[in-house]
mmCIF file of all heavy atoms in Angstrom:
data_model
loop_
_atom_site.group_PDB
_atom_site.id
_atom_site.type_symbol
_atom_site.label_atom_id
_atom_site.label_comp_id
_atom_site.label_asym_id
_atom_site.label_seq_id
_atom_site.Cartn_x
_atom_site.Cartn_y
_atom_site.Cartn_z
ATOM 1 N N GLN A 1 -24.643 -85.168 -22.561
ATOM 2 C CA GLN A 1 -24.943 -86.004 -23.697
ATOM 3 C C GLN A 1 -23.934 -87.121 -23.852
ATOM 4 O O GLN A 1 -24.278 -88.275 -24.184
ATOM 5 C CB GLN A 1 -25.004 -85.163 -24.977
ATOM 6 C CG GLN A 1 -25.489 -85.951 -26.189
ATOM 7 C CD GLN A 1 -26.892 -86.455 -26.021
ATOM 8 O OE1 GLN A 1 -27.770 -85.741 -25.626
ATOM 9 N NE2 GLN A 1 -27.099 -87.771 -26.309
ATOM 10 N N VAL A 2 -22.676 -86.848 -23.631
ATOM 11 C CA VAL A 2 -21.637 -87.856 -23.682
ATOM 12 C C VAL A 2 -21.929 -88.972 -22.696
ATOM 13 O O VAL A 2 -21.867 -90.183 -22.986
ATOM 14 C CB VAL A 2 -20.248 -87.251 -23.458
ATOM 15 C CG1 VAL A 2 -19.200 -88.373 -23.259
ATOM 16 C CG2 VAL A 2 -19.811 -86.427 -24.665
ATOM 17 N N MET A 3 -22.278 -88.612 -21.459
ATOM 18 C CA MET A 3 -22.598 -89.557 -20.442
ATOM 19 C C MET A 3 -23.828 -90.433 -20.800
ATOM 20 O O MET A 3 -23.851 -91.635 -20.615
ATOM 21 C CB MET A 3 -22.770 -88.900 -19.082
ATOM 22 C CG MET A 3 -21.519 -88.247 -18.504
ATOM 23 S SD MET A 3 -20.065 -89.356 -18.351
ATOM 24 C CE MET A 3 -20.678 -90.530 -17.119
ATOM 25 N N LYS A 4 -24.870 -89.780 -21.385
ATOM 26 C CA LYS A 4 -26.013 -90.493 -21.830
ATOM 27 C C LYS A 4 -25.648 -91.513 -22.907
ATOM 28 O O LYS A 4 -26.177 -92.640 -22.931
ATOM 29 C CB LYS A 4 -27.109 -89.504 -22.371
ATOM 30 C CG LYS A 4 -27.744 -88.724 -21.277
ATOM 31 C CD LYS A 4 -28.733 -87.651 -21.899
ATOM 32 C CE LYS A 4 -29.210 -86.702 -20.853
ATOM 33 N NZ LYS A 4 -29.997 -85.615 -21.449
ATOM 34 N N ASN A 5 -24.796 -91.111 -23.832
ATOM 35 C CA ASN A 5 -24.353 -91.988 -24.929
ATOM 36 C C ASN A 5 -23.557 -93.173 -24.343
ATOM 37 O O ASN A 5 -23.740 -94.317 -24.772
ATOM 38 C CB ASN A 5 -23.536 -91.221 -25.959
ATOM 39 C CG ASN A 5 -24.375 -90.295 -26.756
ATOM 40 O OD1 ASN A 5 -25.597 -90.287 -26.750
ATOM 41 N ND2 ASN A 5 -23.693 -89.423 -27.533
ATOM 42 N N LEU A 6 -22.709 -92.905 -23.369
ATOM 43 C CA LEU A 6 -21.955 -93.941 -22.739
ATOM 44 C C LEU A 6 -22.870 -94.951 -22.020
ATOM 45 O O LEU A 6 -22.707 -96.167 -22.188
ATOM 46 C CB LEU A 6 -20.946 -93.376 -21.738
ATOM 47 C CG LEU A 6 -19.718 -92.647 -22.318
ATOM 48 C CD1 LEU A 6 -19.043 -91.858 -21.263
ATOM 49 C CD2 LEU A 6 -18.777 -93.635 -23.002
ATOM 50 N N MET A 7 -23.849 -94.440 -21.317
ATOM 51 C CA MET A 7 -24.803 -95.309 -20.603
ATOM 52 C C MET A 7 -25.594 -96.159 -21.576
ATOM 53 O O MET A 7 -25.848 -97.367 -21.337
ATOM 54 C CB MET A 7 -25.770 -94.497 -19.729
ATOM 55 C CG MET A 7 -25.053 -93.862 -18.532
ATOM 56 S SD MET A 7 -26.161 -93.064 -17.382
ATOM 57 C CE MET A 7 -27.055 -91.913 -18.373
ATOM 58 N N ASP A 8 -25.946 -95.625 -22.755
ATOM 59 C CA ASP A 8 -26.662 -96.312 -23.762
ATOM 60 C C ASP A 8 -25.814 -97.467 -24.274
ATOM 61 O O ASP A 8 -26.304 -98.635 -24.365
ATOM 62 C CB ASP A 8 -27.017 -95.354 -24.904
ATOM 63 C CG ASP A 8 -27.862 -96.028 -25.967
ATOM 64 O OD1 ASP A 8 -28.380 -97.156 -25.821
ATOM 65 O OD2 ASP A 8 -28.054 -95.337 -27.030
ATOM 66 N N VAL A 9 -24.569 -97.213 -24.609
ATOM 67 C CA VAL A 9 -23.688 -98.262 -25.139
ATOM 68 C C VAL A 9 -23.437 -99.327 -24.029
ATOM 69 O O VAL A 9 -23.474 -100.540 -24.304
ATOM 70 C CB VAL A 9 -22.341 -97.659 -25.630
ATOM 71 C CG1 VAL A 9 -21.353 -98.774 -25.994
ATOM 72 C CG2 VAL A 9 -22.618 -96.789 -26.840
ATOM 73 N N LEU A 10 -23.192 -98.911 -22.797
ATOM 74 C CA LEU A 10 -22.973 -99.827 -21.714
ATOM 75 C C LEU A 10 -24.198 -100.736 -21.549
ATOM 76 O O LEU A 10 -24.046 -101.983 -21.401
ATOM 77 C CB LEU A 10 -22.663 -99.123 -20.431
ATOM 78 C CG LEU A 10 -21.291 -98.569 -20.270
ATOM 79 C CD1 LEU A 10 -21.185 -97.617 -19.071
ATOM 80 C CD2 LEU A 10 -20.267 -99.730 -20.139
ATOM 81 N N LYS A 11 -25.417 -100.168 -21.511
ATOM 82 C CA LYS A 11 -26.597 -100.983 -21.331
ATOM 83 C C LYS A 11 -26.745 -102.016 -22.427
ATOM 84 O O LYS A 11 -27.057 -103.192 -22.214
ATOM 85 C CB LYS A 11 -27.840 -100.071 -21.294
ATOM 86 C CG LYS A 11 -29.137 -100.785 -21.065
ATOM 87 C CD LYS A 11 -30.288 -99.850 -21.003
ATOM 88 C CE LYS A 11 -31.580 -100.594 -20.775
ATOM 89 N NZ LYS A 11 -32.744 -99.730 -20.752
ATOM 90 N N GLN A 12 -26.571 -101.576 -23.642
ATOM 91 C CA GLN A 12 -26.672 -102.510 -24.774
ATOM 92 C C GLN A 12 -25.527 -103.564 -24.821
ATOM 93 O O GLN A 12 -25.706 -104.618 -25.433
ATOM 94 C CB GLN A 12 -26.716 -101.773 -26.138
ATOM 95 C CG GLN A 12 -27.989 -100.939 -26.279
ATOM 96 C CD GLN A 12 -28.156 -100.360 -27.635
ATOM 97 O OE1 GLN A 12 -28.338 -101.131 -28.584
ATOM 98 N NE2 GLN A 12 -28.119 -99.044 -27.745
ATOM 99 N N SER A 13 -24.475 -103.274 -24.111
ATOM 100 C CA SER A 13 -23.320 -104.198 -23.990
ATOM 101 C C SER A 13 -23.491 -105.162 -22.793
ATOM 102 O O SER A 13 -22.648 -106.015 -22.556
ATOM 103 C CB SER A 13 -22.007 -103.443 -23.826
ATOM 104 O OG SER A 13 -21.811 -102.598 -24.925
ATOM 105 N N GLY A 14 -24.531 -104.946 -21.980
ATOM 106 C CA GLY A 14 -24.774 -105.775 -20.803
ATOM 107 C C GLY A 14 -24.023 -105.293 -19.563
ATOM 108 O O GLY A 14 -23.717 -106.120 -18.677
ATOM 109 N N SER A 15 -23.740 -103.989 -19.505
ATOM 110 C CA SER A 15 -23.020 -103.454 -18.360
ATOM 111 C C SER A 15 -23.680 -102.155 -17.944
ATOM 112 O O SER A 15 -24.791 -101.876 -18.362
ATOM 113 C CB SER A 15 -21.518 -103.219 -18.708
ATOM 114 O OG SER A 15 -20.800 -102.902 -17.519
ATOM 115 N N SER A 16 -23.006 -101.395 -17.071
ATOM 116 C CA SER A 16 -23.557 -100.166 -16.590
ATOM 117 C C SER A 16 -22.425 -99.321 -15.998
ATOM 118 O O SER A 16 -21.324 -99.757 -15.824
ATOM 119 C CB SER A 16 -24.582 -100.453 -15.473
ATOM 120 O OG SER A 16 -23.934 -100.990 -14.344
ATOM 121 N N LEU A 17 -22.775 -98.059 -15.671
ATOM 122 C CA LEU A 17 -21.779 -97.173 -15.074
ATOM 123 C C LEU A 17 -21.249 -97.740 -13.745
ATOM 124 O O LEU A 17 -20.087 -97.482 -13.391
ATOM 125 C CB LEU A 17 -22.358 -95.805 -14.832
ATOM 126 C CG LEU A 17 -22.558 -94.926 -16.052
ATOM 127 C CD1 LEU A 17 -23.206 -93.580 -15.672
ATOM 128 C CD2 LEU A 17 -21.258 -94.676 -16.837
ATOM 129 N N GLU A 18 -22.031 -98.502 -13.039
ATOM 130 C CA GLU A 18 -21.579 -99.067 -11.752
ATOM 131 C C GLU A 18 -20.421 -100.082 -11.963
ATOM 132 O O GLU A 18 -19.742 -100.426 -11.000
ATOM 133 C CB GLU A 18 -22.767 -99.790 -11.046
ATOM 134 C CG GLU A 18 -23.828 -98.823 -10.557
ATOM 135 C CD GLU A 18 -24.782 -98.339 -11.657
ATOM 136 O OE1 GLU A 18 -24.938 -99.014 -12.683
ATOM 137 O OE2 GLU A 18 -25.350 -97.257 -11.434
ATOM 138 N N ARG A 19 -20.231 -100.535 -13.189
ATOM 139 C CA ARG A 19 -19.210 -101.567 -13.459
ATOM 140 C C ARG A 19 -18.024 -100.954 -14.171
ATOM 141 O O ARG A 19 -17.127 -101.709 -14.618
ATOM 142 C CB ARG A 19 -19.858 -102.668 -14.264
ATOM 143 C CG ARG A 19 -21.073 -103.221 -13.501
ATOM 144 C CD ARG A 19 -21.505 -104.622 -13.641
ATOM 145 N NE ARG A 19 -20.554 -105.634 -13.957
ATOM 146 C CZ ARG A 19 -19.997 -106.435 -13.063
ATOM 147 N NH1 ARG A 19 -20.234 -106.280 -11.784
ATOM 148 N NH2 ARG A 19 -19.214 -107.372 -13.455
ATOM 149 N N VAL A 20 -17.931 -99.662 -14.297
ATOM 150 C CA VAL A 20 -16.856 -99.003 -14.985
ATOM 151 C C VAL A 20 -15.595 -99.054 -14.112
ATOM 152 O O VAL A 20 -15.613 -98.744 -12.913
ATOM 153 C CB VAL A 20 -17.217 -97.529 -15.346
ATOM 154 C CG1 VAL A 20 -15.986 -96.800 -15.864
ATOM 155 C CG2 VAL A 20 -18.322 -97.515 -16.355
ATOM 156 N N THR A 21 -14.491 -99.429 -14.725
ATOM 157 C CA THR A 21 -13.213 -99.526 -14.038
ATOM 158 C C THR A 21 -12.267 -98.360 -14.356
ATOM 159 O O THR A 21 -11.466 -97.965 -13.494
ATOM 160 C CB THR A 21 -12.477 -100.860 -14.341
ATOM 161 O OG1 THR A 21 -12.272 -100.946 -15.714
ATOM 162 C CG2 THR A 21 -13.340 -102.033 -13.865
ATOM 163 N N PHE A 22 -12.297 -97.885 -15.561
ATOM 164 C CA PHE A 22 -11.383 -96.850 -16.011
ATOM 165 C C PHE A 22 -12.052 -95.954 -17.021
ATOM 166 O O PHE A 22 -12.774 -96.417 -17.910
ATOM 167 C CB PHE A 22 -10.107 -97.503 -16.623
ATOM 168 C CG PHE A 22 -9.044 -96.469 -16.932
ATOM 169 C CD1 PHE A 22 -8.210 -96.003 -15.948
ATOM 170 C CD2 PHE A 22 -8.899 -96.052 -18.234
ATOM 171 C CE1 PHE A 22 -7.235 -95.001 -16.248
ATOM 172 C CE2 PHE A 22 -7.902 -95.097 -18.546
ATOM 173 C CZ PHE A 22 -7.122 -94.581 -17.579
ATOM 174 N N VAL A 23 -11.741 -94.626 -16.893
ATOM 175 C CA VAL A 23 -12.286 -93.629 -17.780
ATOM 176 C C VAL A 23 -11.192 -92.677 -18.291
ATOM 177 O O VAL A 23 -10.255 -92.384 -17.530
ATOM 178 C CB VAL A 23 -13.350 -92.780 -17.048
ATOM 179 C CG1 VAL A 23 -13.858 -91.625 -17.880
ATOM 180 C CG2 VAL A 23 -14.496 -93.613 -16.526
ATOM 181 N N ARG A 24 -11.351 -92.256 -19.572
ATOM 182 C CA ARG A 24 -10.456 -91.239 -20.075
ATOM 183 C C ARG A 24 -11.379 -90.109 -20.573
ATOM 184 O O ARG A 24 -12.283 -90.315 -21.345
ATOM 185 C CB ARG A 24 -9.606 -91.752 -21.253
ATOM 186 C CG ARG A 24 -8.335 -92.409 -20.859
ATOM 187 C CD ARG A 24 -7.515 -92.782 -22.053
ATOM 188 N NE ARG A 24 -8.247 -93.745 -22.891
ATOM 189 C CZ ARG A 24 -7.954 -95.043 -22.937
ATOM 190 N NH1 ARG A 24 -6.934 -95.561 -22.325
ATOM 191 N NH2 ARG A 24 -8.693 -95.860 -23.711
ATOM 192 N N VAL A 25 -11.062 -88.897 -20.088
ATOM 193 C CA VAL A 25 -11.777 -87.679 -20.526
ATOM 194 C C VAL A 25 -10.867 -86.834 -21.397
ATOM 195 O O VAL A 25 -9.712 -86.609 -21.009
ATOM 196 C CB VAL A 25 -12.240 -86.877 -19.276
ATOM 197 C CG1 VAL A 25 -12.938 -85.584 -19.702
ATOM 198 C CG2 VAL A 25 -13.142 -87.712 -18.364
ATOM 199 N N TYR A 26 -11.358 -86.408 -22.497
ATOM 200 C CA TYR A 26 -10.556 -85.571 -23.424
ATOM 201 C C TYR A 26 -11.229 -84.215 -23.420
ATOM 202 O O TYR A 26 -12.441 -84.072 -23.739
ATOM 203 C CB TYR A 26 -10.570 -86.151 -24.850
ATOM 204 C CG TYR A 26 -10.032 -87.570 -24.876
ATOM 205 C CD1 TYR A 26 -10.937 -88.664 -24.715
ATOM 206 C CD2 TYR A 26 -8.705 -87.841 -25.096
ATOM 207 C CE1 TYR A 26 -10.439 -89.969 -24.749
ATOM 208 C CE2 TYR A 26 -8.229 -89.149 -25.094
ATOM 209 C CZ TYR A 26 -9.096 -90.183 -24.937
ATOM 210 O OH TYR A 26 -8.644 -91.468 -24.954
ATOM 211 N N LEU A 27 -10.456 -83.141 -23.170
ATOM 212 C CA LEU A 27 -10.949 -81.811 -23.111
ATOM 213 C C LEU A 27 -10.185 -80.886 -24.050
ATOM 214 O O LEU A 27 -8.952 -80.915 -24.060
ATOM 215 C CB LEU A 27 -10.830 -81.183 -21.704
ATOM 216 C CG LEU A 27 -11.748 -81.717 -20.621
ATOM 217 C CD1 LEU A 27 -11.370 -81.028 -19.289
ATOM 218 C CD2 LEU A 27 -13.172 -81.464 -20.962
ATOM 219 N N VAL A 28 -10.871 -80.122 -24.855
ATOM 220 C CA VAL A 28 -10.254 -79.119 -25.756
ATOM 221 C C VAL A 28 -9.802 -77.927 -24.920
ATOM 222 O O VAL A 28 -8.713 -77.390 -25.186
ATOM 223 C CB VAL A 28 -11.232 -78.728 -26.894
ATOM 224 C CG1 VAL A 28 -10.644 -77.558 -27.688
ATOM 225 C CG2 VAL A 28 -11.514 -79.899 -27.759
ATOM 226 N N ASN A 29 -10.534 -77.499 -23.961
ATOM 227 C CA ASN A 29 -10.179 -76.357 -23.131
ATOM 228 C C ASN A 29 -10.122 -76.846 -21.672
ATOM 229 O O ASN A 29 -11.148 -77.101 -21.023
ATOM 230 C CB ASN A 29 -11.268 -75.248 -23.291
ATOM 231 C CG ASN A 29 -10.923 -74.006 -22.540
ATOM 232 O OD1 ASN A 29 -10.059 -73.984 -21.671
ATOM 233 N ND2 ASN A 29 -11.656 -72.932 -22.799
ATOM 234 N N PHE A 30 -8.932 -76.807 -21.100
ATOM 235 C CA PHE A 30 -8.753 -77.274 -19.746
ATOM 236 C C PHE A 30 -9.409 -76.382 -18.705
ATOM 237 O O PHE A 30 -9.549 -76.710 -17.526
ATOM 238 C CB PHE A 30 -7.299 -77.555 -19.380
ATOM 239 C CG PHE A 30 -7.076 -78.969 -18.955
ATOM 240 C CD1 PHE A 30 -6.951 -79.986 -19.858
ATOM 241 C CD2 PHE A 30 -7.082 -79.258 -17.610
ATOM 242 C CE1 PHE A 30 -6.770 -81.293 -19.432
ATOM 243 C CE2 PHE A 30 -6.915 -80.604 -17.180
ATOM 244 C CZ PHE A 30 -6.754 -81.606 -18.090
ATOM 245 N N GLN A 31 -9.793 -75.187 -19.148
ATOM 246 C CA GLN A 31 -10.584 -74.299 -18.232
ATOM 247 C C GLN A 31 -11.956 -74.839 -17.953
ATOM 248 O O GLN A 31 -12.624 -74.429 -17.022
ATOM 249 C CB GLN A 31 -10.616 -72.868 -18.777
ATOM 250 C CG GLN A 31 -9.266 -72.208 -18.778
ATOM 251 C CD GLN A 31 -9.306 -70.794 -19.291
ATOM 252 O OE1 GLN A 31 -10.331 -70.286 -19.693
ATOM 253 N NE2 GLN A 31 -8.158 -70.146 -19.263
ATOM 254 N N ASP A 32 -12.372 -75.821 -18.765
ATOM 255 C CA ASP A 32 -13.669 -76.510 -18.562
ATOM 256 C C ASP A 32 -13.587 -77.681 -17.540
ATOM 257 O O ASP A 32 -14.575 -78.319 -17.259
ATOM 258 C CB ASP A 32 -14.225 -77.019 -19.886
ATOM 259 C CG ASP A 32 -14.620 -75.939 -20.850
ATOM 260 O OD1 ASP A 32 -14.984 -74.836 -20.352
ATOM 261 O OD2 ASP A 32 -14.557 -76.165 -22.053
ATOM 262 N N PHE A 33 -12.398 -77.895 -17.006
ATOM 263 C CA PHE A 33 -12.155 -79.052 -16.158
ATOM 264 C C PHE A 33 -13.158 -79.159 -14.971
ATOM 265 O O PHE A 33 -13.784 -80.167 -14.747
ATOM 266 C CB PHE A 33 -10.739 -78.998 -15.610
ATOM 267 C CG PHE A 33 -10.303 -80.170 -14.797
ATOM 268 C CD1 PHE A 33 -9.920 -81.381 -15.393
ATOM 269 C CD2 PHE A 33 -10.162 -80.092 -13.416
ATOM 270 C CE1 PHE A 33 -9.540 -82.477 -14.620
ATOM 271 C CE2 PHE A 33 -9.753 -81.125 -12.641
ATOM 272 C CZ PHE A 33 -9.425 -82.360 -13.268
ATOM 273 N N ASP A 34 -13.379 -78.079 -14.243
ATOM 274 C CA ASP A 34 -14.255 -78.048 -13.113
ATOM 275 C C ASP A 34 -15.698 -78.306 -13.523
ATOM 276 O O ASP A 34 -16.463 -78.988 -12.813
ATOM 277 C CB ASP A 34 -14.121 -76.787 -12.291
ATOM 278 C CG ASP A 34 -12.800 -76.679 -11.525
ATOM 279 O OD1 ASP A 34 -12.183 -77.754 -11.320
ATOM 280 O OD2 ASP A 34 -12.386 -75.513 -11.266
ATOM 281 N N LYS A 35 -16.123 -77.676 -14.598
ATOM 282 C CA LYS A 35 -17.507 -77.812 -15.124
ATOM 283 C C LYS A 35 -17.790 -79.272 -15.496
ATOM 284 O O LYS A 35 -18.822 -79.834 -15.147
ATOM 285 C CB LYS A 35 -17.743 -76.926 -16.308
ATOM 286 C CG LYS A 35 -17.774 -75.461 -16.027
ATOM 287 C CD LYS A 35 -17.955 -74.672 -17.332
ATOM 288 C CE LYS A 35 -17.905 -73.182 -17.090
ATOM 289 N NZ LYS A 35 -17.981 -72.454 -18.385
ATOM 290 N N VAL A 36 -16.828 -79.860 -16.195
ATOM 291 C CA VAL A 36 -16.975 -81.226 -16.670
ATOM 292 C C VAL A 36 -16.988 -82.194 -15.434
ATOM 293 O O VAL A 36 -17.784 -83.091 -15.346
ATOM 294 C CB VAL A 36 -15.917 -81.604 -17.708
ATOM 295 C CG1 VAL A 36 -15.916 -83.112 -17.971
ATOM 296 C CG2 VAL A 36 -16.118 -80.845 -18.975
ATOM 297 N N ASN A 37 -16.071 -81.929 -14.510
ATOM 298 C CA ASN A 37 -15.998 -82.796 -13.292
ATOM 299 C C ASN A 37 -17.298 -82.809 -12.527
ATOM 300 O O ASN A 37 -17.727 -83.817 -12.029
ATOM 301 C CB ASN A 37 -14.852 -82.355 -12.369
ATOM 302 C CG ASN A 37 -13.521 -82.898 -12.757
ATOM 303 O OD1 ASN A 37 -13.450 -83.880 -13.487
ATOM 304 N ND2 ASN A 37 -12.467 -82.234 -12.330
ATOM 305 N N LYS A 38 -17.937 -81.655 -12.390
ATOM 306 C CA LYS A 38 -19.165 -81.496 -11.604
ATOM 307 C C LYS A 38 -20.237 -82.425 -12.228
ATOM 308 O O LYS A 38 -20.942 -83.141 -11.522
ATOM 309 C CB LYS A 38 -19.621 -80.089 -11.579
ATOM 310 C CG LYS A 38 -20.858 -79.860 -10.795
ATOM 311 C CD LYS A 38 -21.256 -78.368 -10.734
ATOM 312 C CE LYS A 38 -22.558 -78.211 -9.949
ATOM 313 N NZ LYS A 38 -23.003 -76.843 -9.963
ATOM 314 N N ILE A 39 -20.365 -82.383 -13.533
ATOM 315 C CA ILE A 39 -21.354 -83.235 -14.226
ATOM 316 C C ILE A 39 -20.961 -84.698 -14.191
ATOM 317 O O ILE A 39 -21.770 -85.568 -13.859
ATOM 318 C CB ILE A 39 -21.500 -82.726 -15.672
ATOM 319 C CG1 ILE A 39 -21.992 -81.327 -15.608
ATOM 320 C CG2 ILE A 39 -22.432 -83.685 -16.468
ATOM 321 C CD1 ILE A 39 -22.697 -80.513 -16.285
#
């Protein structure tokens, strides 16, 4: 859902995931790191 929301904002801003230069991911539980990375 977060990725869908990001894509929505990027599209409306005139950009896309292909043009992303930097990302910050915030995790409450670092044991979710591998699950989040896969998606």
